[in-house]
Amino acid sequence: MSSNLTQALLELADDNLILGHRLSEWCGHAPMLEEDLALPNMGLDLIGTARTLYSYAGTIESNNKSEDDLAFLRDEREFLNCLLVERPNVNFAHTVLKQLYFSTFMKLYWNEALNSKDEIIVGVAGKAKKEMSYHIRHSGEWVIRLGDGTTESNKKLLEAVDALHIYTNELFFDTPNNIYFIKKDILPSRKALKSKWEKEINSIFKMAFVPYPEFEGELSGGRLGLHGEELGHLLASMQSVHRAHPGAKW
Amino acid sequence: MYSQGLINSDTQIEESQEFLDAFQARIDAEEKIEPNDVMPQAYKKMLVRQIAQHAHSEIVGMLPEGNWVTRAPSLRRKAALLAKVQDEGGHGLYLYSAAETLGVSREELTEQLVTGKAKFSSIFNYPTLSWADIGAIGWLVDGAAIMNQIPLCRCSYGPYARAMIRVCKEESFHQRQGYELMMSLAQGTEKQKQMAQDALNRWWWPSVMMFGPHDAESTHSDQSMRWKIKRFTNDDLRQKFINATVPQATFIDLKIPDKDLRWNDDKEGYDHGPIDWAEFWNVVKGNGPMARDRITARKKAWDEGEWVRDAAHAYAEKRRAEKIAAE
C-alpha cells in the first residue's frame, strides 16, 4: 500500500483551491453588494487553507516544490479534487448549495482532524473548522431563504439539488492511499462522516422545504484525476499567466 | 432596501440669507454637519452627487481588477487581489450608507447606475490588458484617489468624513501593494519589465486626468471649497500626485510617458506636458473603451440577482407575518 502523504494533502488542497477559485469568479457579479463581499471572502478562506496544504505538501517526501508549482504547473489529470467543487457556478442557488454541501462536510472533517498525530494538520484544522462554521451559517441561511422564499427561488434551489446532489457521495470516498494514513491516525476517515453529514443537510433541507433526494448512484472520479470537462477551462484560465512566463517570480 | 427617515436633511425650509450665513458660519468654525441638521438643499445635492459618484466608482472599479482575479499568477497575489477587490466593495457599501443618511437609498442609486444615468470615475472605462495593470491600478489609480480622499476625511459632512478615514487607510495599503507588485515586475524578466512599462504608459495619463479639469474649468469647485466638502483644488492635488509618483517610478527604473516632465526648482515640483482634454471629455461623456461593457456587467449582475433579492424579501416578509400573528 502506498504511503504517499503528498497525494493525500493534494486531494485536500485541490478541493479548497478549486472551490475557492469558483467563489472568486463571483467577484463583482453577485446579486447584491453584500454577496460581492461574502463570496470572495469565503473564497479567500479556502485559498488560504489550500496555500498552507500545498506548502506543506511541497516540503515532504523530497518534493521540493512551492505552493505555486503545485497550483499552477500540474495538468488536469494531476488534480485530485472531488467533482463537486469544480462544478460551474451556474447561478446563486448552485453556488450556495455547493458551498453548504462542502462546508458541512469539511467542518466534520476538520473537527476529526484536530485529533491527528500530525501537528501541521491539527493547525490547519483548528483554523479551517472555524471558517467552515461560518460558511455553513452563510450558505445554510441562503439555502433556507431560497427554499422558503418565492416559487421561483424554490424551483431554482430544487434544480440545483437535482444537479449537484449526485456529486456528494464522492466526498465520503477514502482512497486506498488515505486509508493508510487513517490507520496511522494522521487523517480522518471521510466515510465515517456520512451519516452526520446527511443529518445536518437534512435538517437544513427541512427548513428549506426541500425533500432529501432519494436517488441511487453517484458521479465520482476526481480523486483519480478523472474530471469533468469544466476543470480544464478553469485551469487554463487560472494557470495562463504563470505558465506564460516560465521561472518568473511574481 | 432601506433609507433612514431623517428629521431634517429632508426638511424643506425657506433658505433665507440669514439661514445660509448661519450654516456657513458653522462650516467656517469647522463644525461637522450631521444627518439630522438642517442643511441647504444645494449642499445636500452636492454631497449626494459626490458620494454617489464615489460609491459607484468603487463598485464599477471591482470589474477591471476582478478581470484578473481568476488569472493572478501566484496564490499570494491571487489572495491579495481578492482581498483588495473585496475592500473596494466594502468602500462602496460604506459610501452608499453615507448617501442613505441624506435620504437616498442604495436601490435608487443602483438603478441610476445600471440605467447608465449615474456618473462614476472615468478611469474604470479603460481596460485591464495585462497582469501589470493590477499593479498600475494600485499604484497610480489608488495613489491618485488617496490624494483626493485624504482631505475628505476632514470634509464638513460627518458621515462622509468618518467613512473616508477607513477608506483612506485601506487605499493607502492598496497603493503600496500595487507599487510592490510593479517593483517585482520591474525587477523581473525582460517580458515582465516590458509589461510593467506598458501598463505605466497606458495608465499614467488617465490617472493624471483623474483629478478633473483645470481649476478654471471646474464647475463645482468654488462652492464645494466654501462648504469644505473639497479642501484643495484639482490642479493642487494633481501636482501633489505627480510630485510623489515620479520619484517612485524612477526608483524602480520605469519611465513616465511624458517627454515634457522636468523638475522646476522655482515651484519645487514637476512641470508636466499638456493633458489631452479631448480624450478626457470623450471618456467622461461615456465613450471610454469599456464604458458600455462596465454598465452591461453591472446591469447583468443586478438583473440576474433579482430573484435572489426577491427571495430574501419574501422570506423576511413571511417571518414578519408569523411574528405579528404570534403576538
Side-chain angles (χ1 to χ4, degrees), chain B residues 40-60:
Chain B
Q41 286 302 305
Y43 176 81
K44 184 178 150 189
K45 194 175 159 198
M46 184 177 278
L47 274 169
V48 169
R49 178 184 144 273
Q50 180 166 336
I51 297 173
Q53 275 191 27
H54 191 167
H56 294 325
S57 303
E58 300 280 1
I59 300 308
V60 176

Side-chain angles (χ1 to χ4, degrees), chain A residues 17 20-21 24-25 27-34 36-38 40-44 47 50-51 54 67-68 71-72 91-93 142 144-150 152-153 156-157 234 237-242 244-250, chain B residues 1 59 62-63 66 68-80 82-83 85-90 92-93 96 106 131 180-181 184-185 188-189 191-192 195 297-298 301-302 304-312 314-315 318-319 322:
Chain A
L17 176 63
H21 186 95
S24 79
E25 291 172 349
C27 193
H29 306 284
M32 64 199 72
L33 196 42
E34 284 79 357
D36 270 322
L37 303 184
N41 197 57
M42 294 192 291
L44 266 176
I47 291 167
R51 290 184 66 190
Y54 284 135
E67 57 175 19
D68 290 337
F72 294 97
N91 63 28
F92 192 70
W142 268 118
I144 294 166
R145 273 162 181 73
L146 298 184
D148 190 15
T150 62
E152 185 186 7
S153 68
K156 284 197 157 70
L157 179 62
L234 183 157
S237 165
M238 185 178 86
Q239 299 177 336
S240 58
V241 181
H242 187 95
H245 301 265
K249 301 247 181 312
W250 302 96
Chain B
M1 214 169 287
I59 300 308
M62 295 173 84
L63 297 170
W68 286 89
V69 161
T70 53
R71 289 177 288 171
S74 74
L75 292 180
R76 173 174 161 258
R77 294 290 183 198
K78 190 180 184 74
L82 254 183
V85 181
Q86 201 189 7
D87 283 350
E88 310 295 4
L93 206 51
Y96 284 130
R106 202 204 306 178
W131 170 249
E180 188 263 337
L181 197 162
S184 69
L185 294 176
T189 64
K191 272 180 90 176
Q192 284 175 305
M195 196 194 281
R298 285 314 302 174
W302 185 245
E304 289 180 359
E306 190 176 11
W307 69 272
V308 178
R309 298 190 300 276
D310 287 348
Y315 179 84
K318 285 179 198 175
R319 299 294 84 78
E322 279 170 9

